[in-house]
Amino acid sequence: QPALAAAEALLKADGKGGAALHLVVADHFASYTLLPWSENVIGKKARLMMARALLKHTLGERADRLEIALDRPVFGKNGIAAGIDSNLLAGLRAMAKARHLRLSSLQPRLIAELAAHQKQLNDGWFACLDLGWLTLAGLRDGEISSLRNHRASTADPAILAGELSGLLAAEAAAVNGKKVLISKISVALPKLGASWEMTEVPAIGGGAHA
């Protein structure tokens, strides 16, 4: 409810009837899972079934309340699925309809960010940072090989850098190279060690944050 109330305030201030609306759901509200490539799981229906099973295994009955979004499939490569609470999505859609806004897209942040920036990163890491949250995807030869999505202990850039460094070290075997793209909202840019090539990219959604 607090998220919906904040979104409604943003739409009331900036939404104009008939305008196209592109919504990006913060990683706080998404449960991600890596979809391993399989020649037996091709097509949207099969991928949705696999995603549902993986989320059910991780989240139990909570997965039954999620609506699943998929990334754009690439033949022969792993993908990502995200589960978002169906009540949250229903509230956002109803809000857009009530204000006569055309809901052109509604995506979880990590999937939207990777779609926009993945071409910049063939081997390395993509980190999405937000207040109290850290999402990290590792890519090897352009394929998702590692995925983390969890609460950060602080927004302090020094401590956040330590958390990010710890995750990068723990997942090092999954990725070749030490390049990191970082998209951040409402937090300072953490500084990693000199051995890392770190590049900040524009965050999807800009400054409109709920």
Side-chain angles (χ1 to χ4, degrees), residues 24-108:
V24 178
V25 177
D27 288 334
H28 305 61
F29 302 107
S31 297
Y32 292 106
T33 186
L34 189 149
L35 292 179
W37 160 254
S38 171
E39 60 183 7
N40 298 317
V41 184
I42 297 176
K44 185 175 181 179
K45 184 177 180 180
R47 295 182 84 225
L48 280 172
M49 289 179 63
M50 174 186 272
R52 177 71 66 187
L54 291 170
L55 289 168
K56 183 84 171 179
H57 177 74
T58 303
L59 304 173
E61 292 184 0
R62 181 184 159 206
D64 296 333
R65 302 193 298 271
L66 302 179
E67 189 170 321
I68 296 176
L70 301 172
D71 64 351
R72 187 183 298 277
V74 178
F75 187 85
K77 293 186 180 296
N78 298 334
I80 297 177
I84 304 173
D85 186 274
S86 57
N87 289 328
L88 173 63
L89 295 180
L92 291 170
R93 290 175 178 132
M95 205 177 295
K97 184 177 181 180
R99 296 194 172 277
H100 306 289
L101 298 167
R102 293 181 290 108
L103 186 52
S104 298
S105 67
L106 199 163
Q107 294 179 293

Side-chain angles (χ1 to χ4, degrees), residues 2-206:
L4 287 173
E8 186 169 20
L10 287 172
L11 292 180
K12 185 176 181 180
D14 300 323
K16 298 179 180 179
L21 180 64
H22 301 271
L23 286 176
V24 178
V25 177
D27 288 334
H28 305 61
F29 302 107
S31 297
Y32 292 106
T33 186
L34 189 149
L35 292 179
W37 160 254
S38 171
E39 60 183 7
N40 298 317
V41 184
I42 297 176
K44 185 175 181 179
K45 184 177 180 180
R47 295 182 84 225
L48 280 172
M49 289 179 63
M50 174 186 272
R52 177 71 66 187
L54 291 170
L55 289 168
K56 183 84 171 179
H57 177 74
T58 303
L59 304 173
E61 292 184 0
R62 181 184 159 206
D64 296 333
R65 302 193 298 271
L66 302 179
E67 189 170 321
I68 296 176
L70 301 172
D71 64 351
R72 187 183 298 277
V74 178
F75 187 85
K77 293 186 180 296
N78 298 334
I80 297 177
I84 304 173
D85 186 274
S86 57
N87 289 328
L88 173 63
L89 295 180
L92 291 170
R93 290 175 178 132
M95 205 177 295
K97 184 177 181 180
R99 296 194 172 277
H100 306 289
L101 298 167
R102 293 181 290 108
L103 186 52
S104 298
S105 67
L106 199 163
Q107 294 179 293
R109 183 181 174 195
L110 179 62
I111 289 179
E113 294 273 14
L114 284 174
H117 302 298
Q118 189 168 344
K119 289 182 179 179
Q120 296 175 244
L121 186 68
N122 193 55
D123 288 286
W125 300 92
F126 191 92
C128 292
L129 308 181
D130 202 343
L131 281 176
W133 210 265
L134 192 161
T135 304
L136 184 67
L139 288 88
R140 180 191 289 264
D141 295 327
E143 179 179 17
I144 302 294
S145 58
S146 174
L147 186 60
R148 295 288 190 98
N149 182 47
H150 67 92
R151 188 179 303 279
S153 62
T154 177
D156 183 290
I159 299 176
L160 190 58
E163 289 192 33
L164 185 55
S165 295
L167 282 177
L168 292 170
E171 300 289 324
V175 173
N176 291 321
K178 302 193 75 173
K179 182 176 181 180
V180 186
L181 298 188
I182 294 182
S183 167
K184 65 181 184 66
I185 297 176
S186 303
V187 294
L189 187 69
K191 295 181 180 180
L192 301 176
S195 63
W196 290 95
E197 179 188 345
M198 189 172 68
T199 303
E200 183 180 356
V201 296
I204 297 294

